[in-house]
Structure formats: structure tokens, C-alpha cells
């Protein structure tokens, strides 16, 4: 993306003071180390006075540094164990142990430098999300394509994004493309997006030039929101209060008492100094915040922004998990589940006309209809005379036919046909959204849209329980029957339905009284509950809303199981932080005994303390090493195979729905078995061929990824049952008499409904246990890979 020279120069000028300030810790460490080593060289050469002078200089440098840190702590009215280091440095000078003072100074600066580097690493991982913000966009106008500032982009503008450029604003693709979304999601797999799909600002075009329709301004787009989140996270993590300060009120008096007793009982002040030296815990207890900041860094790699160390600690402590339903446990955007048509009207024809008209709309439902048509391989035509009425629908002309989509009262005039009433009843039972379609002023179809469950949600819930979450609660404004169904599928402990924002807030506060809570949501109405919970977690995959601003943790990828990774990382970081601090404190306390007994000189004690400090900080840095996570990484070959099979899986979904449609249309009075025979032909060629390919190629991938004694047993058994039921139906059709008896038709219809139920359950199991292992970016179906002979139902 082109960047103005002046803007680039301003950024460079601003970065110099930051770099100098960030390098101060390394500079102090280098200066103290040089003075220490130079003094050692002088002592070896026999220049004792020079050696002492150099060590005294290093000690004074450390003394000035610790004085400043104590003054800052006093100004912020918090206790600080740096007073022990200050006393040790002063004592080393007073008892004539400048070498011990120089070692203490190096020890101080070592801890400060490691803390600064860990903090910088965490900021770098977070800033990776905000680096390279788009400043310009290429907008198509009457005079061609013009480069404009990104702030001038308006919703509805047609933009072109060239190869290698950053998508400037959120929008909808007008043609397909390949995008690198790693900056937002953390997934390195390039994403293939089709025309009609949404694309977020901040992702990089990794293919050829792509045209898009802007749906948001720059200020309201995903990228701008992520930048705000990063600024919040950095502001929260920069003034990190060291965990050591929590123990300062008790540790400092204890140390002073131990040093005073050693002096009083022995009459040797050098023993008091030795005790103070080995008790100097400033860099040692930096191990805890280093572990916490390393956890922030590691979480950012998984597309999780944790707003500071305090938020990470609360996330690790959470025991009760509350979920909103829409957009969290479900996808949050509708998908086309079925097309119910008037008698004799091909479903494929109606869907093609509806999608052709919806290409001109920016409505979220329009995107669903267009995507569904493209997934089915339907060729869309341009629409003319398009007119959209807000709150009602859209109308226009496609292939010379007048098409209208929208609400029933606007589309269906006069008496409501029986097939429309049946579609409405079915939508009410399934909790589906309905879009009515008329062609040439006649009702033609009802499009049923549902908000499907996220396939990774049940696996994530099991992973969270394994990670230590004791109670899970579904908290939603949706109606009770739908909420109960979702709750049973994902396995929550309690369901609260029909709740408005005030009710959600009351539930969160009630749960918070019993145990630390984590609240997960993605809507504006979730913001109060997110703010009230111990930790608020927001999903910002489709933009940063008020919920993300109010949350403590933000998932930038479109996978809810990133939360399981975040909790595992938080708990591991907190556990290692406590372990590192505990080990260091124990060793320091143990070293105080020989120091008080006169068995350790101040110099030897300082060297021993440096070893202890480095060991504890090294233990803290193990947070950066790979640990247990919920996310499974597939090899490139396995991922390619899974992608291909997922594309086929998506392509046969309409065929599964056609099983129920054929069963619905099978009449006992006047049975027509031709649709049944045609369906069985399709099932034997398309469906069974796909199931056999999954048995041979997909299930071994799942077995390798999940491990365990038998991770694919249920899936394999269902494959066998599907093939058995199809063959059973073929035999039943072959044995039907002429004319068919009512009992024979009833058996056929029952067999079709049974097969539909098995297929529906099997698809859900595959998406949960197999395809949910794929990165979200990779799980994009492409209709070009559909089984041979596939076409839309009714086409």
C-alpha cells in the first residue's frame, strides 16, 4: 500500500526517542558489566587501586539506579523491595567490598534488561497487528481508478485491491481472491474468498487484483478497531507492577531483621551486608512479570489480545464461563438451510434469480443468498432496475423477469398458499429466518436461513473443562427452546434464555459472587456483562464493537476455540510465574543462613545470588516454549486433503436436504416414485462416493491429529450405516408393487426420514470432530471441487 513520504518520515522521527529510551536498560547493563570486567582485569594485573575504583564506579551506578526506582515507587505509593538492593550497595561500599557491590549492580541491570526485553517482545507481538495500517485506497469513479486517503472511503464505494496491498476497509468481494489473514487471525494459511463473501480491513491480498464493495468506513472497520485494542493492551501492560511488591511489606522487614541479628550476634557488619546481598530479590522476582508478559506475547501469536498482565492473571483464575449464544457458540451470520418452492418451481432457478438480484444489496442476508448460490455452482446474471426498500426487501429485473425478495407482506399478495404456511411452520419449529421470493408477481419460494452452531464449539467446551473450568453457562436473549437445544449440544451446565442486557448483567453478578467468572460475547448488548465479569472476552472477527472495547480479552480470529488456547496459555504462564518466584525466593532464603553464619562473603554471596536470579528468570522464560494447546496443527499434505474433502462435504449438503424434501413430497394417495429413484441415483453416485473418500482419506488424518485409543470409531460406524440405509432404500423401491400400496409408501417415507436424520447427525459429527481441526481460514468450500454430476436440488 503506498505510504506518503512525510508520514513515513514523521514515524521514523518519533521512533528514535522510543528506541533510545528502550535501550537504557541494555546500556546500563553494558556499562556495569564493562566496569566489573575491567576491574577484574586490573586486579589480575596487580593494579588493585584501579580495580577498586572501577568496582566502586559500577556500585555507584547501581546505587543511583536503585535510588531512582525507590523514588518512583514512593511517588506511586507502593512498597518496593529495591530498598534491600540499595542497602546492600551502600553496605558493600561501607565495609570495603566494592567487588560485591559491582556484582550486585550487574545483577540489578540484568533483571531490568530482561524485563525490558520481555516487555518489548510482548509489545512487538501486539504491535504486529497494528503495523502497516492502510493509509490510501483505490476507488473506482467516473474518471477511472483514483488513489484517495482511506478516511474518504464511504460505504458503497467500489474499490480495487492490487496484489500485495492491504485491504483498506471492511467490504464484500465482487470477485474472488486469495488473502493472507495472518495479521488478524494468527493463521498462516492463505484464504481463498469467493465473490459475495466479506473481507476485513488489515488483511493482505495474496493473489491477483480483487474488486470489492466497501461496507464500512475506515474508522468503523476491523483494522481501526484492532489498533485501538492494541493501544489499550499496551497501555495496560506498560506500567506492570512487579509481583515482588506484593511481598515487600513482609519481606523487607524480615531481611532487615535477619541482617541486624547476624551483625548483633557476630559483631561483624560484613555478615549483615552478606545477608542483604543474597536477599536482593529485585531481578529475581522480575521472573514473575517476565513470565506473565511472555504469556501475553504467546497469546498474541494465536490471535488473542490480552489487555495486560492483570487480565491474564484473572483469566487464569476463572472458574465459571458464561457464553452468549449468537456469534459466540453459533456463527452469528445466517446460512441458507433450504429452499421451499411452489409446486412445479425448480429450487435452483429461484435461488439463481434471488442471488442475482441480491448481488446489488449490502444487506447481510443478501450476502448469505449470494454465497449459497455460488456454492451450488449457479451462474448469476446482472440485475437491472434494482430498488431496495429499507425494512421490506429488494426488487429488480433479472433475465427479463421481475424478482422481489423480502418480508411476506411485501412479497405475497392475497391469500397465503398452503406451501407457504408449511414453510412458515417449519421455520418456527427450527428457529429459521424466512425470506420470501416472488417471480413475475407470483409467490415462488421461501428461503430458510439458520444461524448454525460453530463446529468447534463442542470440542472447545470439552477442552475448557479439561483446563479447569468448573461451570459453564449459556446466557442469551434468544427464546428458550432454541437456547436449550444449543445448550444440550455443546454441553453447558445451565441455560438462561430470553434475557435482555440488564438480565445478563444480573446473572453475571450472581455467578461472580460464587466463583471468578469469564464472560464471552460479541454483540453491543453484551458490553455491560463483559465489563461486569471477572474477565470479559469478545470475538472481533467481524469488526471491533462496543463488546470488544469493554472486554479484557479479544479474539481477532473467527474461531471460538481460541478461547481455550488463551485460557491454557494464561494458566501455564501464571503457574510458571509462581513457580519461578517461589523457587527464587526459597533459594534466596536458604542462602541467607550461611551468609548470616559467616560462611559466605558479600562477593561470593553476590555471585551466588546472580546464579539464582538467572536460573529463576530462565525458568520464567520457558513460557515462550511450546506448551499444551487446544489447537491442532495439521501438516500441509493433511490440510490440503482436508480442504478438498471439506469442499465436497459442503457441496453435498443440499443433497442431504433434498432427502427430506423428497420425503415431504411423497404422497400415499398418489405416489410418484420417480423423485425417489432420481434421489437414490444421486445418493449412490455423489454421496456414497464422498463418504468412501472420507473413510479412506479423512479419518486417518483425524486419528493422527487427535490420538487416543479410537478417535474415529463413531464416524466410521456412521459411514457404514449410511451406506446400509441407502442400499435398503434401493431394495425397498425395487420391491414396491404396481400400483404401490400405502404401507409401502409409508415405509419408504419413514426410511427417507431416517436416512435424513442419520446424515444430519453425521455431518454435525464430522464438522465437530474432523473439519474443526482445520484453521478457520482453510475451511472455505469451493464448489469447483464438488462431486461429479452435482447440481442444486430441483435445478
Amino acid at each position: 500500500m503506498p505510504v506518503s513520504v512525510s508520514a513515513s518520515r514523521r514515524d521514523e522521527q518519533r521512533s528514535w526517542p522510543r528506541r533510545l529510551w528502550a535501550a537504557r536498560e541494555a546500556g546500563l547493563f553494558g556499562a556495569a558489566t564493562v566496569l566489573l570486567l575491567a576491574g577484574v582485569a586490573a586486579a589480575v594485573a596487580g593494579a588493585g587501586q584501579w580495580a577498586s575504583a572501577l568496582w566502586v564506579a559500577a556500585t555507584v551506578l547501581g546505587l543511583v539506579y536503585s535510588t531512582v526506582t525507590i523514588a518512583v515507587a514512593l511517588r506511586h505509593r507502593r512498597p518496593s523491595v529495591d530498598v534491600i538492593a540499595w542497602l546492600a550497595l551502600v553496605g558493600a561500599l561501607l565495609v570495603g567490598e566494592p567487588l560485591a557491590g559491582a556484582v550486585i549492580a550487574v545483577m540489578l541491570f540484568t533483571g531490568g534488561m530482561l524485563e525490558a526485553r520481555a516487555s518489548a517482545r510482548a509489545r512487538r507481538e501486539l504491535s504486529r497487528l497494528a503495523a502497516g495500517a492502510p493509509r490510501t485506497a483505490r476507488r473506482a469513479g467516473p474518471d477511472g481508478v483514483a488513489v484517495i486517503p482511506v478516511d474518504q472511503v464511504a460505504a458503497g464505494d467500489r474499490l480495487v485491491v492490487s496484489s500485495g496491498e492491504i485491504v483498506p476497509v471492511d467490504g464484500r468481494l465482487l470477485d474472488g481472491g486469495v488473502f493472507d489473514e495472518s495479521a488478524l487471525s494468527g493463521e498462516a494459511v492463505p484464504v481463498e474468498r469467493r465473490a459475495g463473501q466479506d473481507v476485513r480491513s488489515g488483511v493482505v491480498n495474496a493473489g491477483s487484483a480483487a474488486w470489492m464493495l466497501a461496507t464500512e468506513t475506515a474508522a468503523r472497520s476491523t483494522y481501526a478497531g484492532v489498533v485501538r485494542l492494541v493501544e489499550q493492551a499496551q497501555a495496560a501492560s506498560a506500567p506492570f507492577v512487579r509481583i515482588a511488591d506484593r511481598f515487600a511489606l513482609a519481606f523487607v522487614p524480615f531481611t532487615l531483621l535477619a541482617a541486624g541479628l547476624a551483625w548483633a550476634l557476630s559483631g561483624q557488619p560484613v555478615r549483615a551486608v552478606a545477608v542483604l546481598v543474597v536477599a536482593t530479590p529485585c531481578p529475581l522476582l522480575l521472573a514473575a512479570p517476565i513470565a506473565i508478559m511472555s504469556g501475553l506475547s504467546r497469546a498474541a501469536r494465536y490471535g488473542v489480545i490480552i489487555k495486560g498482565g492483570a487480565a491474564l492473571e484473572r483469566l487464569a483464575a476463572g472458574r465459571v464461563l458464561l457464553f452468549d449464544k449468537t456469534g459466540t457458540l453459533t456463527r452469528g451470520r445466517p446460512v441458507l438451510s433450504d429452499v421451499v418452492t411452489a409446486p412445479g418451481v425448480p429450487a435452483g432457478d429461484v435461488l439463481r434469480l434471488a442471488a442475482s438480484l441480491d448481488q446489488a444489496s449490502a444487506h447481510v442476508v443478501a450476502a448469505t443468498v449470494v454465497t449459497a448460490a455460488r456454492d451450488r455452482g449457479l451462474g448469476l446474471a446482472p440485475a437491472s432496475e434494482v430498488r431496495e426498500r429499507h425494512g421490506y426487501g429488494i426488487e429488480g429485473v433479472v433475465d427479463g423477469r421481475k424478482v422481489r425478495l423480502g418480508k411476506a407482506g411485501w412479497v405475497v399478495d392475497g391469500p397465503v398458499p398452503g406451501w407457504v404456511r408449511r414453510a412458515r411452520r417449519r421455520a418456527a419449529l427450527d428457529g429459521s429466518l424466512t425470506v420470501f421470493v416472488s417471480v413475475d408477481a407470483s409467490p415462488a419460494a421461501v428461503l430458510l436461513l439458520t444461524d448454525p452452531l460453530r463446529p468447534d464449539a463442542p470440542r472447545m467446551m470439552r477442552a475448557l473443562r479439561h483446563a479447569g473450568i468448573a461451570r459453564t453457562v449459556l446466557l442469551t436473549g434468544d427464546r428458550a427452546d432454541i437456547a436449550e437445544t444449543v445448550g444440550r449440544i455443546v454441553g453447558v451446565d445451565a441455560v438462561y434464555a430470553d434475557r435482555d442486557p440488564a438480565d445478563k448483567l444480573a446473572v453475571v453478578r450472581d455467578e461472580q459472587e460464587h466463583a471468578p467468572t469469564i464472560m464471552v460475547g460479541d454483540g453491543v448488548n453484551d458490553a455491560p456483562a463483559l465489563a461486569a465479569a471477572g474477565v470479559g472476552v469478545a470475538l472481533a472477527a467481524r469488526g471491533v464493537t462496543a463488546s470488544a472495547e469493554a472486554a479484557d480479552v479479544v479474539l481477532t480470529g473467527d474461531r471460538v476455540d481460541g478461547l481455550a488456547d488463551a485460557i491454557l496459555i494464561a494458566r501455564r504462564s501464571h503457574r510458571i510465574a509462581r513457580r519461578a518466584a517461589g523457587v527464587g525466593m526459597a533459594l534466596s532464603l536458604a542462602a541467607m543462613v550461611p551468609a548470616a553464619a559467616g560462611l559466605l562473603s558479600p562477593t561470593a554471596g553476590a555471585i551466588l545470588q546472580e546464579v539464582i536470579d538467572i536460573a529463576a528468570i530462565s525458568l520464567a522464560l520457558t513460557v515462550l516454549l511450546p506448551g499444551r494447546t487446544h489447537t491442532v496443527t495439521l501438516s500441509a499434505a493433511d490440510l490440503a486433503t482436508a480442504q478438498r474433502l471439506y469442499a465436497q462435504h459442503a457441496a453435498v449438503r443440499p443433497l442431504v436436504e433434498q432427502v427430506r424434501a423428497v420425503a415431504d413430497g411423497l404422497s400415499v394417495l398418489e405416489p410418484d416414485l420417480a423423485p425417489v429413484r432420481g434421489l437414490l441415483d444421486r445418493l449412490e453416485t455423489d454421496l456414497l462416493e464422498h463418504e468412501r473418500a472420507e473413510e479412506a482419506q479423512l479419518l486417518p488424518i483425524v486419528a493422527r491429529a487427535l490420538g487416543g485409543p479410537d478417535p474415529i470409531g463413531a464416524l466410521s460406524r456412521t459411514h457404514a450405516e449410511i451406506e446400509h440405509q441407502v442400499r435398503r432404500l434401493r431394495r425397498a423401491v425395487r420391491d414396491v408393487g404396481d400400483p404401490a400400496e400405502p404401507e409401502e409408501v409409508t415405509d419408504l417415507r419413514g426410511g427417507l426420514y431416517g436416512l435424513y436424520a442419520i446424515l444430519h447427525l453425521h455431518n454435525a459429527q464430522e464438522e465437530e470432530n474432523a473439519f474443526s481441526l482445520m484453521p478457520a481460514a482453510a475451511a472455505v468450500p469451493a464448489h469447483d471441487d464438488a462431486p461429479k454430476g452435482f447440481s442444486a436440488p430441483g435445478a
Side-chain angles (χ1 to χ4, degrees):
M1 180 68 68
V3 180
S4 67
V5 175
S6 59
S8 176
R9 186 173 299 156
R10 283 196 304 271
D11 292 343
E12 185 176 352
Q13 290 173 350
R14 290 171 183 168
S15 67
W16 275 109
R18 295 173 184 170
R19 291 176 185 174
L20 290 175
W21 179 250
R24 74 190 186 283
E25 301 288 355
L28 290 170
F29 169 77
T33 303
V34 168
L35 290 172
L36 173 63
L37 296 178
V40 171
V44 171
Q49 291 184 343
W50 278 102
S52 296
L54 291 169
W55 291 334
V56 167
T59 304
V60 171
L61 188 63
L63 190 60
V64 172
Y65 176 83
S66 59
T67 301
V68 172
T69 59
I70 292 171
V72 171
L74 291 175
R75 188 178 65 183
H76 290 89
R77 296 182 179 179
R78 70 169 187 261
S80 174
V81 291
D82 287 339
V83 66
I84 299 176
W86 189 88
L87 290 173
L89 290 166
V90 172
L93 291 176
L94 292 178
V95 299
E97 292 280 352
L99 176 56
V103 174
I104 296 171
V106 171
M107 180 175 60
L108 278 174
F109 297 135
T110 300
M113 183 183 65
L114 289 174
E115 181 189 29
R117 291 195 174 185
S119 178
R121 184 187 182 108
R123 287 195 300 270
R124 184 169 63 251
E125 293 290 347
L126 293 170
S127 298
R128 176 181 59 85
L129 301 170
R135 292 183 173 87
T136 63
R138 301 178 186 272
R139 183 173 64 186
D143 301 325
V145 177
V147 178
I148 62 170
V150 70
D151 294 339
Q152 295 182 13
V153 175
D157 286 349
R158 286 171 54 90
L159 308 175
V160 61
V161 183
S162 299
S163 178
E165 291 185 343
I166 300 174
V167 175
V169 297
D170 293 354
R172 180 174 305 150
L173 290 173
L174 299 176
D175 51 22
V178 179
F179 298 90
D180 176 4
E181 299 188 352
S182 59
L184 296 180
S185 67
E187 296 172 355
V189 180
V191 187
E192 184 177 351
R193 299 290 184 192
R194 302 181 307 283
Q197 287 192 307
D198 292 337
V199 63
R200 295 182 289 167
S201 61
V203 306
V204 178
N205 184 1
S208 57
W211 286 89
M212 60 176 283
L213 183 74
T215 57
E216 292 286 0
T217 62
R220 298 182 58 184
S221 289
T222 300
Y223 208 100
V226 169
V227 170
R228 291 194 299 272
L229 295 178
V230 169
E231 291 172 349
Q232 291 178 24
Q234 290 179 341
S237 60
F240 197 93
V241 179
R242 295 175 300 178
I243 291 180
D245 293 337
R246 299 179 184 177
F247 309 106
L249 290 177
F251 187 75
V252 171
F254 173 79
T255 303
L256 295 178
L257 178 62
L261 287 174
W263 187 354
L265 294 176
S266 67
Q268 300 176 7
V270 69
R271 293 193 183 188
V273 175
V275 170
L276 293 173
V277 167
V278 296
T280 303
C282 302
L284 165 65
L285 293 185
L286 284 175
I290 285 174
I292 297 296
M293 286 184 285
S294 298
L296 300 179
S297 172
R298 187 151 189 84
R301 297 183 188 179
Y302 286 86
V304 181
I305 300 176
I306 301 178
K307 298 179 182 178
L312 185 141
E313 291 186 70
R314 294 197 303 272
L315 184 64
R319 291 296 180 271
V320 177
L321 199 59
L322 301 100
F323 287 92
D324 178 47
K325 180 182 74 69
T326 304
T328 304
L329 295 180
T330 64
R331 291 191 181 276
R333 291 203 173 185
V335 298
L336 183 68
S337 60
D338 201 6
V339 181
V340 180
T341 62
V345 177
D349 289 351
V350 177
L351 181 58
R352 187 184 69 85
L353 293 173
S356 297
L357 178 60
D358 263 340
Q359 289 181 106
S361 174
H363 198 280
V364 62
V365 172
T368 298
V369 175
V370 173
T371 300
R374 293 188 181 277
D375 285 346
R376 288 158 173 77
L378 302 176
L380 305 187
S384 60
E385 302 177 27
V386 178
R387 186 168 65 96
E388 191 165 4
R389 290 186 59 183
H390 181 70
Y392 290 91
I394 187 173
E395 61 182 353
V397 177
V398 179
D399 290 341
R401 309 183 72 179
K402 187 173 182 179
V403 182
R404 178 177 284 189
L405 283 76
K407 293 183 176 179
W410 192 57
V411 173
V412 181
D413 295 328
V416 178
W419 64 271
V420 172
R421 290 196 298 271
R422 288 193 296 271
R424 280 177 164 174
R425 284 197 300 270
R426 179 174 159 188
L429 290 173
D430 296 343
S432 301
L433 174 69
T434 55
V435 177
F436 293 82
V437 185
S438 70
V439 179
D440 294 331
S442 297
V446 179
L447 308 181
L448 301 182
L449 295 89
T450 58
D451 184 13
L453 186 74
R454 288 178 177 268
D456 53 330
R459 277 190 67 241
M460 180 206 64
M461 297 296 286
R462 293 192 292 269
L464 290 171
R465 290 189 184 279
H466 187 62
I469 296 297
R471 175 175 167 82
T472 55
V473 178
L474 176 56
L475 185 58
T476 177
D478 215 335
R479 66 181 206 239
D481 56 339
I482 297 176
E484 290 285 351
T485 299
V486 172
R488 282 194 299 270
I489 292 174
V490 300
V492 299
D493 296 310
V495 175
Y496 295 92
D498 296 313
R499 306 292 168 134
D500 61 20
D503 295 331
K504 290 183 178 181
L505 185 61
V507 172
V508 170
R509 286 175 174 170
D510 181 64
E511 294 286 348
Q512 182 71 21
E513 291 180 359
H514 298 89
T517 58
I518 303 171
M519 173 68 193
V520 187
D522 80 328
V524 174
N525 62 340
D526 297 323
L530 291 173
V535 179
V537 181
L539 277 75
R542 284 181 291 274
V544 177
T545 62
S547 63
E549 301 286 355
D552 304 291
V553 179
V554 180
L555 310 181
T556 61
D558 195 19
R559 286 183 67 99
V560 70
D561 59 355
L563 174 60
D565 289 328
I567 291 177
L568 288 170
I569 290 171
R571 293 197 168 173
R572 180 170 179 260
S573 302
H574 192 255
R575 184 172 61 252
I576 291 176
R578 295 174 62 184
R579 184 182 303 159
V583 168
M585 287 288 290
L587 292 175
S588 289
L589 290 172
M592 291 170 67
V593 176
L599 302 177
L600 278 178
S601 68
T603 301
I607 295 173
L608 176 61
Q609 184 65 61
E610 178 76 353
V611 173
I612 294 173
D613 293 346
I614 292 175
I617 292 172
S618 299
L619 177 59
L621 290 173
T622 59
V623 173
L624 296 173
L625 299 176
R628 182 171 66 93
T629 57
H630 169 69
T631 300
V632 175
T633 302
L634 300 180
S635 67
D638 286 348
L639 181 58
T641 301
Q643 281 182 289
R644 177 171 51 79
L645 292 172
Y646 181 71
Q648 296 178 6
H649 173 86
V652 298
R653 283 179 190 150
L655 182 56
V656 173
E657 296 301 324
Q658 193 177 355
V659 174
R660 181 167 70 171
V662 169
D664 290 342
L666 194 57
S667 172
V668 175
L669 299 178
E670 297 179 359
D672 179 10
L673 300 184
V676 180
R677 294 188 179 97
L679 173 64
L680 287 171
D681 291 340
R682 297 273 306 286
L683 291 174
E684 290 172 341
T685 56
D686 294 349
L687 180 69
L688 294 186
E689 179 182 344
H690 169 63
E691 301 297 340
R692 290 165 188 154
E694 287 184 332
E695 180 74 24
Q697 302 172 39
L698 179 64
L699 297 195
I701 294 174
V702 176
R704 287 194 295 271
L706 297 181
D710 190 15
I712 59 174
L715 293 176
S716 183
R717 176 65 181 86
T718 316
H719 282 155
E721 184 64 25
I722 290 170
E723 187 156 354
H724 167 68
Q725 292 296 329
V726 172
R727 289 178 176 177
R728 180 177 176 275
L729 283 169
R730 174 63 77 184
R731 289 195 302 271
V733 170
R734 190 182 301 121
D735 294 341
V736 168
D738 188 14
E741 296 292 332
E743 294 82 1
E744 293 174 327
V745 177
T746 300
D747 288 344
L748 273 178
R749 189 160 54 189
L752 288 169
Y753 284 134
L755 176 62
Y756 172 78
I758 294 172
L759 288 170
H760 194 71
L761 176 61
H762 176 63
N763 283 350
Q765 288 176 327
E766 280 190 335
E767 290 175 0
E768 174 186 335
N769 297 314
F771 296 120
S772 68
L773 302 178
M774 301 164 55
V780 179
H783 58 262
D784 294 340
D785 292 330
K788 295 179 180 179
F790 173 78
S791 60

